[in-house]
Amino acid sequence: MDKDSLLSNLISYLRFPLTVAVVFIHFSLTDGLMVHGVKHGLDNPDWFFHIVNFCSEVLARIAVPLFYMFSGFLFFYNKDFNREIYGQKLKTRARTLLVPFILWNIIAVLWQLKCMLPGLDAFYRPVEVHWSFMRVINTFLFNTDNSGIIVGPPLDVASNGSYPIDVPLWYLRDLMVVIIISPLIHWVIKKAGIWPVALLGLLWLTSALLLPKGCYADMLVTAAFFFSLGAVFSINKTDFITPFKKLRWAPAFYLVIAVIDTLTKGADYNIYIHRTGIIFGVIAVVNLVAWLLENNKIKVNATLAGSSFFIFALHYLIIGDIGKFAFTMLHIPENNPLAMMALYFLVPIIVTAICLGLYVALKRIAPKLCAVLTGGR
């Protein structure tokens, strides 16, 4: 397999498993499961939380940095960057990023309004609609602390950061920002090489010391660093697989860091272990998947790869409801860690399957609508 084919297959293959990782992030039970204002499952033993942390808060956290790195690599891939190319790419990204970003956030608003429907209001938190220009803007960009048009009891998951109403789409929001400043990124890399990116990485690694947890600046630094990391390889006309392969020890080293990361959750210094782990986790995942592809152990599934964005955008809207429904209807005993562990793994799998089924059905029934919602992916 030549380098270009390996790169293409690696990026295509990883889209689905990385998206599933994001689904697991959004069903982390480290803070319990909120049902009707009460958190359940907080009394489980330490091993339960270690497993949840290892899966949702350690391994899965590699996903978004990898997505950013792939985006930076592909943005500058195989073309000399100039004003004309930049304009063309902005037009393309308006279709693939901006339009789906707007549409999915509108869908998220409509989904939250279901709480006001007769018969459903008893099952959901009460909400009100407050209109203003800034509330509309906040709904799409920084929908925290009841600053958007949907106002209700605060949501725990959205209170520690700056997110759109469809929370996972903060990735698209910040990706669009770094794409807008991509000429600056290109110019700096061309002039100074990898060193500014290395300094940006150092800033990302230590930004927890300088910036409040979950603040927007920290999120933007994450986007800028990993996008620029991918851009370095592409601008210098090289792939990232070859240099990563030289670090053959990275997967084993990452597992050690991942275990330490898991066991030190809650400590002030954990963020530095965690972010160091992400760097080696990115390298480890690329090495592992490249080896599996080269040795024909795995193959790209076009349907799974194509469904990834749809799952990414939709899953957050339904995962809370499905988790609560499964917990309540199946009468999961919260003091039984094995039952709660089964719930933890089962819900993301069910949500992924539902989203995948809806994607396949929509692509068959309304392919044009599906293409618009997924940016033509």
Side-chain angles (χ1 to χ4, degrees):
M1 187 181 298
D2 62 69
K3 287 184 179 180
D4 286 344
S5 297
L6 181 58
L7 274 167
S8 176
N9 286 338
L10 182 140
I11 293 172
S12 295
Y13 180 86
L14 277 173
R15 282 175 180 158
F16 181 76
L18 293 180
T19 300
V20 175
V22 172
V23 177
F24 269 91
I25 289 173
H26 293 134
F27 196 65
S28 176
L29 297 182
T30 52
D31 292 324
L33 177 65
M34 180 74 78
V35 180
H36 298 305
V38 178
K39 286 187 175 181
H40 298 270
L42 293 176
D43 295 328
N44 280 304
D46 289 345
W47 64 261
F48 173 87
F49 294 105
H50 287 329
I51 292 174
V52 172
N53 270 321
F54 185 75
C55 295
S56 287
E57 304 300 330
V58 178
L59 295 183
R61 293 291 174 173
I62 301 170
V64 170
L66 265 171
F67 278 137
Y68 277 130
M69 190 182 80
F70 293 159
S71 296
F73 182 83
L74 294 173
F75 190 80
F76 297 102
Y77 187 59
N78 271 351
K79 285 189 178 181
D80 293 326
F81 195 72
N82 54 43
R83 182 178 297 179
E84 182 181 355
I85 294 295
Y86 176 62
Q88 291 173 358
K89 287 183 176 291
L90 285 184
K91 290 179 181 178
T92 301
R93 267 49 179 192
R95 175 176 58 84
T96 61
L97 299 178
L98 180 60
V99 171
F101 177 81
I102 293 172
L103 291 178
W104 279 105
N105 278 300
I106 292 174
I107 291 171
V109 170
L110 297 176
W111 182 253
Q112 285 206 15
L113 290 177
K114 74 182 185 302
C115 305
M116 303 175 69
L117 294 175
L120 292 180
D121 51 353
F123 297 97
Y124 294 102
R125 66 192 185 102
V127 299
E128 300 175 351
V129 178
H130 293 195
W131 289 98
S132 74
F133 176 75
M134 282 310 303
R135 283 189 173 275
V136 172
I137 296 299
N138 287 338
T139 299
F140 285 84
L141 298 178
F142 307 108
N143 188 61
T144 55
D145 300 323
N146 280 330
S147 61
I149 62 175
I150 306 296
V151 177
L155 292 173
D156 288 348
V157 76
S159 62
N160 294 323
S162 302
Y163 306 99
I165 191 168
D166 190 357
V167 170
L169 297 191
W170 71 266
Y171 162 78
L172 289 192
R173 178 198 63 194
D174 294 354
L175 178 59
M176 288 187 285
V177 172
V178 293
I179 284 174
I180 290 172
I181 64 171
S182 60
L184 175 61
I185 294 172
H186 181 269
W187 180 82
V188 170
I189 292 173
K190 274 290 190 181
K191 291 292 183 181
I194 196 173
W195 296 110
V197 180
L199 289 174
L200 190 58
L202 184 62
L203 175 63
W204 169 75
L205 191 63
T206 59
S207 62
L209 184 66
L210 307 171
L211 301 170
K213 182 181 178 181
C215 76
Y216 175 63
D218 186 45
M219 300 168 79
L220 190 57
V221 168
T222 300
F225 168 53
F226 285 99
F227 183 90
S228 299
L229 181 62
V232 164
F233 294 105
S234 197
I235 291 170
N236 289 300
K237 310 296 183 185
T238 185
D239 67 285
F240 49 81
I241 296 177
T242 301
F244 285 4
K245 277 184 176 180
K246 294 178 181 178
L247 303 175
R248 297 180 183 276
W249 46 268
F253 185 65
Y254 172 64
L255 284 178
V256 174
I257 296 181
V259 171
I260 297 173
D261 184 5
T262 301
L263 297 177
T264 58
K265 287 297 182 190
D268 292 339
Y269 57 84
N270 171 261
I271 186 65
Y272 306 110
I273 298 172
H274 177 66
R275 293 193 173 184
T276 300
I278 286 177
I279 296 293
F280 287 99
V282 165
I283 298 170
V285 168
V286 169
N287 282 350
L288 176 61
V289 175
W291 183 86
L292 291 172
L293 287 168
E294 286 182 305
N295 290 276
N296 296 315
K297 304 292 184 181
I298 57 175
K299 292 183 179 180
V300 176
N301 183 300
T303 299
L304 295 182
S307 69
S308 298
F309 182 83
F310 189 89
I311 297 170
F312 183 85
L314 174 60
H315 78 273
Y316 185 80
L317 306 185
I318 63 174
I319 196 167
D321 289 344
I322 291 176
K324 294 170 188 177
F325 179 82
F327 177 81
T328 304
M329 298 303 296
L330 297 177
H331 303 289
I332 302 292
E334 64 177 299
N335 59 350
N336 185 329
L338 292 179
M340 289 296 290
M341 185 60 62
L343 179 74
Y344 166 69
F345 283 107
L346 187 63
V347 170
I349 292 171
I350 291 173
V351 169
T352 300
I354 290 172
C355 293
L356 177 60
L358 290 174
Y359 166 79
V360 172
L362 186 63
K363 190 174 182 181
R364 182 175 300 173
I365 297 170
K368 291 184 178 179
L369 175 60
C370 185
V372 172
L373 288 174
T374 59
R377 292 172 178 82

